[in-house]
Amino acid sequence: MAKSRRNVKFQHRSSSNGRRDSFSDISEAASEPGSPTNSKGEGGNNEVEPPPGSEYEKKKQTFITRTIWTFLMIAFFFASMFAGHIYILAIVTAIQIISFKEVIAIANVPSRARRLRFTKSLNWYFLASTMYYLYGESVIYYFKHIVLVDKVLSPFATHHRFISFMLYIMGFVFFVATLQKGHYRFQFTQFAWTHMALYLIVVQAHFIMNNIFEGMIWFFLPVALVITNDIFAYVCGITFGRTQLIKISPKKTVEGFVGAWIMTILFGIVLTNIMIRYKYFICPVNDLGANLFTGLECTPNPVFIPRTYNIPNWIPYSDGTVVITPIQFHILVFATFASLIAPFGGFFASGLKRTFKIKDFGESIPGHGGITDRMDCQFIMGFFSFMYYQSFIAVYKTSVGGVIETVITGLTLEEQMEVVRGLSKYLYNQGTVSEDMLACVNDRLTKR
C-alpha cells in the first residue's frame, strides 16, 4: 500500500475551508521538501510539461485582450472628458475606491485571523471618513459661495473639520475596543496597512480631483505625460536599451529612461500648444454641467497668455525677441517630473508586488491587471501637479466665496447686518438696485 503523503500543499487547490491559500501558506508550501511547488524537490519530476504552442496561444490571447481593453479605456476616457468635469470626477472617485480595495486585499491574512469581526468593516469605515474629509474640503473651497449660505449645508461646512476629526476618532476608539488577545500583531499590522493605503492612494488621488477643479488641462496634461513617458520608455528600451536602470525592475534601462524623457518633453510642448487654444481646458470649473460643446468662460490665467522675451545679442540668427507662452516653460518641469520621478511610483509598486509574490494588484481590467497597476505613477504625478500649480501658477484673488466665508466666520451678527446695509447702499448709488429695494432691506434689518 502506497505511503500517504501528509502536509503537502498544492497551490492550485483550495484549502479545506473553501478559501484561497494566503501568501504565507503558499510560501510555506514552497519551502517544503516534498512540495510540488519546489522545482528542485522530490516532486519536481512529477510536473506536467505544457503542450507545445500553448504558451504562445496564451500570450496571443492576452495580447488581443489587452489591446481591445486599451482602446476601450481610451475611448471611454476621452468621451468622459468631453462630456464634462462631473464624469471625470466620478471616474477618479471610482479609481480611489477600487485601488484602495486592491491594495488592502493583498495584505497577508492568516487563517486564524479571518474569524476576527469588524476587520474589513474598519478598513471601509476609515476610507469613508477620509473621503468625507477630503471631498468636504474641496467642496467648501470651490463652492463656498453656495454651501455657506445654505440653511442645511452651512452647519456642516463651518464645522466640517471637527466633524471629520470626530468621525476618525470614533473609528480609532472602536479599533482599540475590538483588540483581541493573540491577534494584536495582525490587528496593528492591518491598522498600519490601512493608513498607508489611505495616504498613498486616497489622499494623493484626491489632489487629482482638485486639479480638475482648477482646469481640465491640469488633469489631462499630467496624465498624458505619464502615459507618453511609459510608451516611449518601452520603445526606446527595446530599440537601444543596454544598461539596467534599477534592480527592482530589471527590464528598465538607462537608455529607455533618457530617451523617454526627451520624447515626453517634445510631446508635452505640442500637446500644450493645442490645449491652451480652448477655454474648456484652461478655465477653472464654474459650471459642473459644462462640456466640450458648451464650453467655459473665464479670464485666462496669465500663464496662458503669450509674452515677448528678449534674446541676448550673442545668440546667432536671432532678431532680438521671441514670443512664448509661459506655460511652455512650466511644461519642461512637468515633463521632467513625469519622466524622472513619477516612474519611481511604479518601481515602488513593483517592489510591493514582489514582497507579496504577486504579478498584479488585481484583475479589474482584463489583460492589464488591476486599476492600481495602471495608476501607480499617476498618483504621485497628480500630487506633484497640484503642489506645483498652487506654488508657481495659481493666481490668488478675492472671490465671492472668500468674502462670504470671512463675513460668516469673522464677524458678529450685528456686523454682518451692517455689511448688508453698506453693500445695499453702494449698489443703490451705482444704480443697480432701486430705492424701494434699499428701503425694504433697511426696514427688514431694522425690525430684526
Side-chain angles (χ1 to χ4, degrees):
M1 182 176 180
K3 183 180 180 179
S4 62
R5 292 187 296 177
R6 298 180 180 179
N7 299 325
V8 177
K9 301 180 180 180
F10 296 87
Q11 293 188 44
H12 62 284
R13 295 183 184 175
S14 297
S15 55
S16 58
N17 61 358
R19 71 174 183 86
R20 187 180 64 181
D21 289 335
S22 66
F23 297 115
S24 60
D25 295 334
I26 295 174
S27 178
E28 291 169 2
S31 64
E32 295 181 2
S35 173
T37 60
N38 187 352
S39 59
K40 296 182 181 180
E42 296 177 1
N45 296 328
N46 296 330
E47 293 182 355
V48 179
E49 293 292 333
S54 63
E55 189 67 22
Y56 169 77
E57 292 297 330
K58 182 179 179 181
K59 289 184 178 180
K60 179 181 177 181
Q61 185 60 40
T62 301
F63 175 78
I64 294 175
T65 303
R66 186 184 182 96
T67 302
I68 292 174
W69 275 91
T70 297
F71 283 107
L72 287 176
M73 287 190 296
I74 292 174
F76 179 72
F77 174 77
F78 277 98
S80 301
M81 185 174 65
F82 295 154
H85 299 75
I86 190 68
Y87 297 97
I88 293 295
L89 292 172
I91 291 176
V92 175
T93 302
I95 289 174
Q96 279 182 306
I97 297 173
I98 297 174
S99 297
F100 177 81
K101 176 179 178 294
E102 291 176 346
V103 172
I104 290 297
I106 70 173
N108 189 359
V109 182
S111 57
R112 65 193 184 100
R114 288 178 178 269
R115 296 191 301 269
L116 289 176
R117 300 176 61 189
F118 308 117
T119 300
K120 291 185 178 180
S121 300
L122 272 174
N123 290 338
W124 290 105
Y125 177 83
F126 281 123
L127 172 65
S129 60
T130 301
M131 294 184 71
Y132 174 81
Y133 168 72
L134 294 173
Y135 279 61
E137 287 289 306
S138 294
V139 170
I140 294 171
Y141 180 80
Y142 291 103
F143 302 101
K144 61 182 66 175
H145 59 288
I146 297 176
V147 297
L148 288 175
V149 298
D150 187 88
K151 185 177 181 180
V152 177
L153 298 178
S154 181
F156 292 95
T158 53
H159 304 98
H160 171 70
R161 293 180 179 177
F162 179 77
I163 295 173
S164 302
F165 175 74
M166 292 308 299
L167 287 174
Y168 176 82
I169 289 298
M170 289 170 60
F172 175 79
V173 171
F174 189 79
F175 164 75
V176 176
T178 55
L179 289 173
Q180 294 186 21
K181 186 177 181 180
H183 299 288
Y184 294 153
R185 180 184 294 273
F186 165 72
Q187 289 181 293
F188 277 103
T189 299
Q190 286 291 304
F191 185 79
W193 183 262
T194 300
H195 283 68
M196 184 200 75
L198 289 173
Y199 172 72
L200 293 179
I201 296 176
V202 180
V203 174
Q204 290 192 117
H206 176 74
F207 288 105
I208 298 178
M209 301 189 69
N210 287 346
N211 293 338
I212 298 173
F213 283 118
E214 296 292 351
M216 190 66 79
I217 188 173
W218 305 116
F219 162 76
F220 181 72
L221 189 60
V223 170
L225 290 176
V226 170
I227 295 175
T228 302
N229 179 260
D230 190 43
I231 293 173
F232 280 106
Y234 173 77
V235 173
C236 296
I238 63 174
T239 303
F240 44 80
R242 296 292 184 272
T243 309
Q244 187 182 52
L245 175 66
I246 188 170
K247 291 184 178 180
I248 196 68
S249 188
K251 295 183 180 180
K252 302 295 183 181
T253 63
V254 175
E255 293 81 4
F257 203 62
V258 176
W261 178 24
I262 297 172
M263 297 305 298
T264 302
I265 291 177
L266 296 178
F267 173 82
I269 293 174
V270 174
L271 180 62
T272 303
N273 276 331
I274 297 174
M275 296 186 72
I276 61 177
R277 301 177 184 179
Y278 303 95
K279 286 190 174 182
Y280 177 73
F281 291 106
I282 66 175
C283 286
V285 178
N286 50 37
D287 180 11
L288 287 175
N291 55 52
L292 181 66
F293 302 101
T294 60
L296 290 170
E297 290 297 328
C298 68
T299 301
N301 188 303
V303 78
F304 299 119
I305 301 176
R307 293 179 56 185
T308 301
Y309 295 90
N310 295 322
I311 300 178
N313 296 329
W314 51 267
I315 297 180
Y317 307 107
S318 64
D319 57 1
T321 60
V322 62
V323 179
I324 299 178
T325 306
I327 185 61
Q328 298 293 2
F329 297 115
H330 295 290
I331 200 60
L332 299 178
V333 180
F334 277 81
T336 298
F337 189 92
S339 302
L340 305 184
I341 306 298
F344 281 85
F347 301 152
F348 177 87
S350 297
L352 194 62
K353 288 186 286 188
R354 289 176 184 273
T355 300
F356 290 97
K357 299 179 177 62
I358 59 175
K359 181 181 179 182
D360 299 311
F361 282 100
E363 300 177 352
S364 305
I365 311 175
H368 288 266
I371 290 288
T372 312
D373 294 290
R374 302 275 69 84
M375 295 296 297
D376 46 14
C377 300
Q378 296 288 359
F379 291 137
I380 190 173
M381 184 67 197
F383 196 0
F384 166 79
S385 301
F386 176 81
M387 293 301 177
Y388 186 88
Y389 173 83
Q390 295 294 332
S391 300
F392 302 104
I393 299 177
V395 176
Y396 296 98
K397 58 182 181 180
T398 303
S399 63
V400 174
V403 173
I404 294 176
E405 181 182 26
T406 302
V407 171
I408 293 176
T409 60
L411 300 179
T412 64
L413 186 59
E414 292 296 329
E415 292 172 332
Q416 293 173 11
M417 291 190 292
E418 188 63 31
V419 169
V420 174
R421 292 191 189 95
L423 186 60
S424 301
K425 187 174 182 179
Y426 169 79
L427 293 175
Y428 168 73
N429 292 333
Q430 298 297 317
T432 306
V433 299
S434 63
E435 184 175 359
D436 294 338
M437 177 66 72
L438 176 62
C440 179
V441 170
N442 290 330
D443 181 61
R444 292 287 183 180
L445 293 176
T446 301
K447 289 182 178 180
R448 185 171 180 84

